[in-house]
Amino acid sequence: MFLLIVLLFCFTIFAFVVTNKGAGEALAGKGYKEYRLGDYNTWLQKRVNKNWPRIRSCLQDSQICKHLIEQGATPLGQFNKETLSALQSGCCKPPDECKFTYVTPTNWTGTAGSTNPDCTAWSNDQKVLCYNCQSCKAGLLDNIKSDWKKEAILNIIVLVFLIIVYSIGCCAFRNNREDNAWKRYP
Ligand SMILES: *[C@@H]1O[C@H](CO)[C@@H](O)[C@H](O)[C@H]1NC(C)=O
């Protein structure tokens, strides 16, 4: 049980360290936030980079961009007010700084106004969109981050409980031994 407490404690510390950094950036006049891979923990970045081909095919099969694709030609003013999830913001539209011309949420024209590699990674093809973008990885990490944070908080509650049970158990064991010792050697 002591080993379990130590392991859980180490994992909890690790989870807090890993989820310490990174948050979406609010943009002036937009309802959605944008996400940068560089803002997140480097260990998580490496993991997500290494496994990206597999994660990407999963995201492409999922329905995360469906809502935006089906929305069609919403007026730009209305699209700007939308609150998008981290994955939708990162994977389904080009980053704001590319300054593309809006047609629909998943169809943008014009030449990139930024050297951000995500601007060249973007494609209007519904199978491609921004799934190759760094912002898409950042959106995923933002999800992982909030899940791990919740997990770490739950861990602390479990840890406190385990430590209480362990302390009571230890006390009882010691008292019992002292009692027996006293009985055996009066
Ligand atoms: C994007 O919009 C342009 C202009 O309306 C249109 O010609 C093009 O077919 C659209 N592309 C996609 C992938 O929907």
Side-chain angles (χ1 to χ4, degrees):
M1 189 154 174
F2 179 72
L3 205 65
L4 184 71
I5 290 174
V6 170
L7 283 178
L8 201 60
F9 180 76
C10 292
F11 177 72
T12 307
I13 297 286
F14 176 72
F16 271 111
V17 168
V18 153
T19 59
N20 179 33
K21 267 185 358 153
E25 284 167 51
L27 302 166
K30 311 270 168 159
Y32 54 82
K33 291 179 175 173
E34 286 198 339
Y35 302 81
R36 283 173 196 277
L37 187 61
D39 292 347
Y40 292 86
N41 177 273
T42 33
W43 184 81
L44 282 182
Q45 283 182 43
K46 276 191 201 130
R47 298 270 81 71
V48 89
N49 274 326
K50 191 156 169 268
N51 296 302
W52 191 243
R54 265 194 313 159
I55 300 171
R56 186 183 49 212
S57 70
C58 230
L59 289 174
Q60 283 165 329
D61 287 342
S62 77
Q63 305 284 312
I64 51 163
C65 296
K66 191 167 175 261
H67 164 71
L68 289 175
I69 291 170
E70 284 176 353
Q71 205 171 311
T74 335
L76 179 59
Q78 194 182 324
F79 173 66
N80 282 341
K81 280 193 215 120
E82 277 188 49
T83 51
L84 304 177
S85 73
L87 278 173
Q88 284 175 329
S89 168
C91 309
C92 309
K93 60 158 199 60
D96 206 53
E97 63 174 317
C98 297
K99 305 265 180 268
F100 287 136
T101 310
Y102 174 87
V103 181
T104 74
T106 55
N107 187 347
W108 301 70
T109 56
T111 45
S114 159
T115 52
N116 186 337
D118 284 358
C119 300
T120 39
W122 169 262
S123 162
N124 286 340
D125 181 346
Q126 290 179 6
K127 272 273 153 221
V128 182
L129 298 177
C130 222
Y131 290 119
N132 295 314
C133 295
Q134 301 300 94
S135 60
C136 190
K137 296 175 186 173
L140 181 84
L141 280 194
D142 199 74
N143 275 3
I144 291 179
K145 196 194 122 172
S146 28
D147 284 351
W148 277 42
K149 197 123 231 179
K150 278 180 222 148
E151 177 77 24
I153 290 167
L154 190 75
N155 271 357
I156 288 187
I157 297 169
V158 172
L159 256 179
V160 168
F161 177 75
L162 280 184
I163 289 171
I164 291 171
V165 171
Y166 181 76
S167 309
I168 293 172
C170 261
C171 269
F173 181 70
R174 209 170 39 210
N175 286 347
N176 195 4
R177 211 166 43 177
E178 278 167 11
D179 277 358
N180 286 346
W182 180 78
K183 272 181 211 143
R184 236 176 278 139
Y185 308 105

